[in-house]
Structure formats: C-alpha cells, structure tokens
Amino acid sequence: MDIQKNLTPLSAERIKNADKSGFSQGNIIVLDETESTNSIAKALAAEGASHGTVVTAESQTMGRGRLGRRFESPKGAGLYMSVIVRPSFDIAFAPLITSAAAVSAAESVEKLCGEYTAVKWVNDLYMNSRKICGILTEAAINSKGSLDYAVIGIGINVGRTEFPSELRDIASSIEAETGNIIDRNILCGEILGRLEYYLENIEEKRHISEYRRREMLTGNHITANTGGREVEGYAIGINENANLLLKLSDGSEMVLASGEANLCRIRRKMDE
Ligand code: BT5
C-alpha cells in the first residue's frame, strides 16, 4: 500500500536540528525504501557504528514486529526509526530499554499533537484505544556476557487515515486521531532527546513512574501469553523492572517479564 501524504520529507539535517540533545551527533541515515531500519542498524552496529546512530526510512518493505510479525510501514505515512545504543550500564538493566523508549515516544507524540498517549505493556503506544506505535528492541551480547549494542526500533503511524482490513479495527495514526499532521523530523528529534535522558538515567529508573502512569492494562482484567502459556487475571500494576503484575483468580500473584497481553474485552471482541 502506497500512501504518499503531504508530509515534510525526512531529512538528516532537519532531524539533527530537532535533536537538541545532540544524541545522534549528526550520525543520521535517511533512506527512501528499505527492508527494515532495524536490520540496517544491526548491520551497521556489527561494523562498529557509534552510540546514537539513527537510521530512518520513508518506507519499509519488511518492517518487523516481535516474534516474526510484520509492522506495516507504507511510504510517507509514518516515522520508522532505529537507534543504535552502546550502553555503559550493566546488562541487568537491558530489559528496561524498551520501556524507556516507550515513555520517550509517548511523551514526544503527546508534546507535538496534544493528545494523551497511553502505553500498553510492553511495547505499544495507544491513542483512544488504538495502536499508533510499536517498538522492537534487539540486543547483541558480546563474549564477556555484557551488552555490545542494542537497536531500538520505533514505528509510529503519523499521517495516515487508511489501513488494510486486518488492521482497521486495531490500528490508527496521529492524524486520524487528532487531525494534526506533525513533522516526523521534529518527532524523531524529540524522541532522541528523551531517549538519551532516560537511558542515561536507567539505573535510577527515572522513566518508570511515567510508564506506570500511562500504562493502560493496569486496573483491568486481561489475558496474557507468556512463555507459551495463556493466563487470565487482573493487572495490578507495573513493578520497578517494568514487569506486569497479575493477580490470578486463585488469589496468587504472577510477575510477567515479557509476553503479550490484552484487555479481556478487546480479546472477546476480536474473537467474535
Ligand atoms: C511491534 O511488534 O509493534 C513492533 C514494531 C516495530 C516497528 C519498528 S519500525 C522501525 C523498526 N524497523 C523494523 O523493522 N521494526 C521497527 P508487535 O508488538 O509484535 O506488533 C505487531 C502487530 O502490530 C502486527 O501483528 C499487527 O497486528 C500490528 N501492526 C502491524 N503494523 C502496524 C501498524 N503500522 N500500526 C499499528 N499496528 C500494526
């Protein structure tokens, strides 16, 4: 699907100007079409690309989600960006990277369009109950067992009002929800600034309170798939490690470190 909008084209110069933190240090690659910005970023990282290097593309032909799923990334409709990070922090903090990226993206979207942006554990952003953004973090561990690099991939539906049938009921975009067409270069720069701040402070877990505040499963009955097991329960909240705390019907508590979770009512609706 090719949805060419009147969006300001992506430009390394514009992103650099919008990245007030200087996180990228001008190492910004803008592609027209690519398979996946995460794949390009991983290849560059393996060749030694520096901390803060950014890869963006106008479209992705094989945009990736988790577990081999696709992230639909048509031309001129979204911000598809991947950031290489070479963290100095201990590998124990690596599982917090995705939640830090989610808060960075949610705050940036909200700042530019003025609409409340929720986080759905683990890696999605929602506006008015529809997914507008997904995040995919891929990490490489070196022979000493520490984190060599991580690639943080963020895909945001920016200017887009049409979706293929399989996404129509679950996905949306900033434009569809707010009527605003925002500049992806500025959005990218805003995200980079926050990402630098939250990653620098990951050991103090500065992003967690904001992640908790925005998390939309909390306080609801949910179903979750974790480690191949399907569970149902009440989402109590998010702990210090960005894990989801679940209360099961027998009264016991479960800590979910990774997986997939959905509100029960959304699940039932999808099953109908
Ligand atoms: C994600 O996975 O949502 C992570 C997506 C990460 C995409 C970025 S774009 C830049 C970088 N380069 C890449 O190749 N990837 C990253 P997951 O939680 O597994 O969700 C995937 C599911 O979201 C799909 O199975 C669809 O149901 C739905 N989906 C696909 N495309 C979508 C879109 N454009 N907007 C909203 N939902 C979508």
Side-chain angles (χ1 to χ4, degrees):
M1 193 186 286
D2 186 354
I3 311 168
Q4 187 66 61
K5 283 267 179 184
N6 291 327
L7 293 179
T8 308
L10 289 168
S11 131
E13 193 60 28
R14 287 199 192 95
I15 295 172
K16 187 178 161 201
N17 290 339
D19 172 21
K20 303 279 186 266
S21 70
F23 183 27
S24 66
Q25 296 192 32
N27 295 317
I28 300 164
I29 296 158
V30 174
L31 303 167
D32 184 29
E33 181 177 281
T34 187
E35 279 192 5
S36 154
T37 55
N38 261 34
S39 301
I40 301 283
K42 277 165 71 178
L44 290 172
E47 287 166 12
S50 60
H51 179 68
T53 300
V54 180
V55 181
T56 62
E58 288 286 354
S59 71
Q60 298 182 118
T61 53
M62 301 258 286
R64 288 189 280 118
R66 296 178 302 156
L67 306 167
R69 290 187 288 239
R70 273 180 70 99
F71 189 80
E72 226 239 324
S73 319
K75 192 172 179 67
L79 173 62
Y80 317 119
M81 64 183 279
S82 298
V83 188
I84 297 170
V85 292
R86 296 187 180 278
S88 50
F89 52 74
D90 191 273
I91 194 161
F93 294 97
L96 286 166
I97 294 176
T98 298
S99 52
V103 172
S104 303
E107 288 183 339
S108 302
V109 167
E110 195 168 306
K111 178 180 173 195
L112 296 184
C113 73
E115 183 78 24
Y116 176 69
T117 307
V119 174
K120 177 171 159 284
W121 184 85
V122 174
N123 65 327
D124 291 335
L125 299 191
Y126 272 63
M127 213 177 251
N128 303 324
S129 308
R130 281 167 196 254
K131 176 167 168 174
I132 59 150
C133 164
I135 297 168
L136 174 68
T137 305
E138 298 181 287
I141 294 161
N142 63 26
S143 56
K144 292 180 202 133
S146 56
L147 200 58
D148 187 8
Y149 64 83
V151 167
I152 305 170
I154 303 175
I156 305 178
N157 302 320
V158 176
R160 172 161 198 201
T161 47
E162 283 171 32
F163 289 88
S165 54
E166 69 274 16
L167 292 180
R168 210 159 285 154
D169 291 339
I170 53 172
S172 193
S173 73
I174 295 171
E175 182 192 4
E177 296 304 317
T178 70
N180 293 332
I181 300 183
I182 63 176
D183 186 334
R184 294 168 298 166
N185 299 292
I186 296 176
L187 180 58
C188 184
E190 288 282 340
I191 293 172
L192 291 173
R194 286 176 174 77
L195 204 49
E196 179 180 50
Y197 172 76
Y198 287 124
L199 292 177
E200 280 290 311
N201 294 288
I202 208 158
E203 293 174 18
E204 285 88 53
K205 305 181 179 181
R206 290 228 177 122
H207 67 285
I208 286 290
S209 58
E210 196 54 29
Y211 189 88
R212 269 192 195 125
R213 193 177 76 76
R214 291 178 185 271
E215 207 291 312
M216 58 183 258
L217 299 175
T218 304
N220 289 284
H221 283 280
I222 64 157
T223 55
N225 193 307
T226 176
R229 190 177 149 212
E230 193 79 19
V231 290
E232 194 166 331
Y234 179 77
I236 307 168
I238 300 289
N239 73 7
E240 284 292 294
N241 297 317
N243 299 148
L244 183 67
L245 305 175
L246 202 59
K247 185 160 195 156
L248 305 180
S249 54
D250 64 4
S252 63
E253 286 185 14
M254 203 174 170
V255 180
L256 306 189
S258 63
E260 181 89 28
N262 282 299
L263 293 175
C264 273
R265 64 178 172 81
I266 289 180
R267 180 60 177 247
R268 289 209 186 93
K269 207 170 160 193
M270 281 163 64
D271 287 343
E272 275 165 17

